[in-house]
Amino acid sequence: MQIVAGPRQVGKTTLIHDLLARLTAKRRNENVAWMFEAVDQFEPTNESDISSTQISIVNRARPRDAEWLAQRWKAARIRARQWALRLERDDESPYVLVFDEIQKIANWSEHVKGLWDADRAERLNMHVVLLGSSPLLVQRGLTESLAGRYELLNVRHWGLTETQAAFDLTVEEHIFFGGYPGALPLRHEEERWRSYVLTSLIQPSIERDVLALHRVEKPALLKQLFELSAAYSGQMLSYTKMLGQLQEAGNTTTLAHYLQLLEQSGLISGLSKHAGEVVRRRGSSPKLNVHNTALMTAGSGYTFQQAQADRDFWGRLTEACVGAHLINTAEASCRVHYWRESPHEVDFVLQGARSLTAIEVKSGRRSTHVAGLDAFCDSFKVTRRLVVGGAAGCDVSVAEFLSEPASYWINP
C-alpha cells in the first residue's frame, strides 16, 4: 500500500484527486473504478455505483472509528471483486481504495494491518492508498504495525519550482508568501492572505494536528512557543531564553518536547549545532527555522513591500527560506545543522554520509565577508563551501539554490 504523509494543506488530497482523474482519462475505455473515503468529512453525499468514474465519498452519522473503517473496507472488497469479474482479468486495472486523514482513527495501523493481510491472503486485486496529515502519528503507526507492507511517500511544503510553475511567483514573492498552494492565489490581497494563513492554516495545524492528537499538558505554552519560534526564525535561542520570553510556566524539557511536536507536524524545526561529539550537539541551543516562510511573515505585521524595505528583516527571511528549503528537501541520509563558535558562525551545515557542506546566506547589500566559513573549514574537513545570495562574490544566487534539492549541494 502507499502511505502519503505530510503537513496540513500541502496538496496531498488534491494530488490524489488529480491522480485518479488522470487514471480515468488515461483508461477512459476501461472505466477505472475507485472509492475515496474522507475520515474527517461529514457532509452527506451519494455513493456512486460500480460503473461510475467519479470519486465516491461515503459518509455515515455514526462515529468514524475502527468499525466504520472495517465496514468501508469490506464494501470496497465487494466492489473490487465485482470489478475483477466485469473486466474478466484479475491482474490489471485494480480497484483503488483511498482513505484520507487516516490518523484520525484510533489505532488505525493495527486495524489496517489485519484488513490488508486478509486481502493479500485472498490475492484481492485492490490497491490501497492512505493519506495522513500528522507525520508523527503516521510514522508511529507504520513502525509499530505495518513493517514491510507499505511505501511511504512524504509530501513536503512547496518549493520555488512548484510555486513558480503553478502561480508564476517571483523569487521575492516566494520568499515572503511561502509555499502554501491554497493561500498563494490571495497574495495580491495581503490582508486576506494573512487572515487565511493564520486562521485556516496555522490554527488548524496546531489545534487539530498537535493538540488534538498528542498529549500536551500546557496548550497555551505550546501556542506561545510556536509564535516565538516563528518570530525568531533564523536565529539561535536557548531554551532558557525562550522561557524568559514566554508567559506560561514551563521547563526546558517541556519546551524541547513541544518543539519536537511542532517539527514533526511540519511547522518549525530547532536545528542542532554541528559538532564532532553527539553529546555536544544535543546540548546546543537550537536554531529555529520555519518549514514555510508564510508561518513567519503572516504574523510579522510586515507587508510585502515593507519586508523588502527592512534589509535586516529581509535578510533573516531569506535565510529562513533557504533553511526551509533544506529541511523540506533533505533526505534521510542528509542532516541539516548550523555551526557557531563565537564570534564565528555558519548559517547551515549539510552533513551527508561522507561529505560536509558549509552554507552562508547573504542577501542584498549585506557584506559577503565569510570569516565564519573560513573558521569552520579550519575546524572540520569540508567537501564544499557555498555563499548564497545576490551580492557580488556569492557563489550561487538564491533562485538557483532554491531550484535544487539539498542532496544536490552535498557533493562538489
Side-chain angles (χ1 to χ4, degrees):
M1 73 186 80
Q2 264 68 44
I3 310 293
V4 182
R8 180 176 294 272
Q9 294 295 314
V10 294
K12 300 182 298 300
T13 304
T14 302
L15 176 67
I16 294 301
H17 278 277
D18 182 63
L19 174 61
L20 296 178
R22 292 189 183 195
L23 286 176
T24 301
K26 182 178 180 181
R27 302 177 179 179
R28 190 173 299 278
N29 295 331
E30 298 182 11
N31 254 349
V32 178
W34 60 76
M35 180 186 292
F36 185 102
E37 298 283 357
V39 177
D40 64 342
Q41 187 172 356
F42 294 94
E43 296 80 6
T45 59
N46 294 325
E47 180 177 339
S48 62
D49 58 30
I50 188 65
S51 63
S52 175
T53 60
Q54 296 182 354
I55 298 172
S56 170
I57 304 179
V58 184
N59 296 277
R60 297 289 184 269
R62 60 182 303 281
R64 300 197 161 194
D65 51 15
E67 183 179 352
W68 172 85
L69 174 68
Q71 288 179 353
R72 299 316 306 149
W73 197 297
K74 291 175 182 178
R77 285 175 177 167
I78 294 173
R79 289 172 167 235
R81 294 188 186 99
Q82 293 173 342
W83 185 246
L85 290 174
R86 179 179 176 182
L87 293 178
E88 295 183 351
R89 47 187 176 183
D90 297 332
D91 58 340
E92 295 182 21
S93 300
Y95 191 85
V96 181
L97 172 62
V98 182
F99 283 100
D100 195 5
E101 299 290 349
I102 188 65
Q103 83 282 350
K104 293 184 180 295
I105 296 179
N107 300 317
W108 66 272
S109 59
E110 297 179 7
H111 302 294
V112 168
K113 175 180 180 294
L115 294 165
W116 172 263
D117 288 349
D119 291 348
R120 303 285 72 71
E122 295 183 21
R123 296 188 178 183
L124 184 65
N125 192 22
M126 183 168 72
H127 197 93
V128 177
V129 181
L130 306 178
L131 281 67
S133 291
S134 178
L136 176 60
L137 283 184
V138 171
Q139 187 64 45
R140 183 184 301 164
L142 296 180
T143 56
E144 290 176 352
S145 304
L146 295 178
R149 296 173 174 83
Y150 68 91
E151 177 185 7
L152 178 61
L153 306 174
N154 286 309
V155 180
R156 311 290 180 86
H157 290 276
W158 284 33
L160 176 64
T161 54
E162 290 85 2
T163 59
Q164 284 186 330
F167 301 101
D168 197 27
L169 261 66
T170 65
V171 177
E172 291 75 17
E173 286 177 324
H174 175 77
I175 291 173
F176 183 85
F177 292 106
Y180 280 115
L184 290 177
L186 303 175
R187 68 187 185 279
H188 299 301
E189 301 177 72
E190 290 193 31
E191 285 305 314
R192 288 187 64 195
W193 170 83
R194 192 183 313 278
S195 176
Y196 182 87
V197 173
L198 292 174
T199 60
S200 299
L201 298 179
I202 295 178
Q203 184 175 333
S205 293
I206 294 177
E207 294 184 354
R208 298 179 189 176
D209 297 336
V210 182
L211 298 179
L213 300 176
H214 305 282
R215 182 178 179 180
V216 176
E217 297 181 355
K218 296 178 178 292
L221 179 63
L222 185 140
K223 292 180 181 180
Q224 290 180 17
L225 176 62
F226 168 81
E227 293 173 356
L228 179 70
S229 300
Y232 280 84
S233 182
Q235 300 182 51
M236 288 156 280
L237 202 62
S238 69
Y239 291 114
T240 302
K241 289 184 178 179
M242 291 184 201
L243 286 172
Q245 299 193 43
L246 298 173
Q247 297 177 359
E248 286 288 322
N251 54 53
T252 57
T253 301
T254 300
L255 285 186
H257 172 59
Y258 287 177
L259 186 58
Q260 184 182 40
L261 291 180
L262 292 173
E263 178 175 1
Q264 292 167 334
S265 297
L267 297 174
I268 292 174
S269 284
L271 302 179
S272 61
K273 175 184 174 181
H274 177 80
E277 301 176 8
V278 176
V279 174
R280 292 181 60 193
R281 183 165 63 244
R282 291 178 178 174
S284 63
S285 297
K287 178 177 180 177
L288 303 169
N289 209 110
V290 293
H291 291 203
N292 190 318
T293 51
L295 302 173
M296 181 178 176
T297 53
S300 68
Y302 280 94
T303 65
F304 180 40
Q305 290 183 341
Q306 290 170 343
Q308 290 180 290
D310 186 334
R311 302 312 301 173
D312 289 337
F313 179 79
W314 190 258
R316 289 198 297 112
L317 185 58
T318 302
E319 182 179 329
C321 185
V322 170
H325 175 72
L326 294 175
I327 292 170
N328 291 324
T329 62
E331 301 297 335
S333 59
C334 176
R335 295 186 294 275
V336 184
H337 301 291
Y338 75 94
W339 179 79
R340 183 179 185 182
E341 290 292 344
S342 186
H344 302 298
E345 65 179 82
V346 173
D347 292 332
F348 301 103
V349 177
L350 288 181
Q351 183 177 5
R354 295 185 178 181
S355 60
L356 199 64
T357 300
I359 301 170
E360 186 70 14
V361 183
K362 304 293 182 183
S363 63
R365 295 186 295 271
R366 292 177 60 190
S367 170
T368 55
H369 183 59
V370 288
L373 283 178
D374 295 334
F376 182 80
C377 293
D378 290 340
S379 301
F380 300 94
K381 187 177 180 180
V382 176
T383 53
R384 191 173 192 179
R385 54 181 283 171
L386 288 172
V387 179
V388 180
C394 292
D395 301 307
V396 59
S397 68
V398 175
E400 182 181 354
F401 188 87
L402 296 179
S403 299
E404 299 290 349
S407 59
Y408 181 87
W409 306 108
I410 290 180
N411 299 310

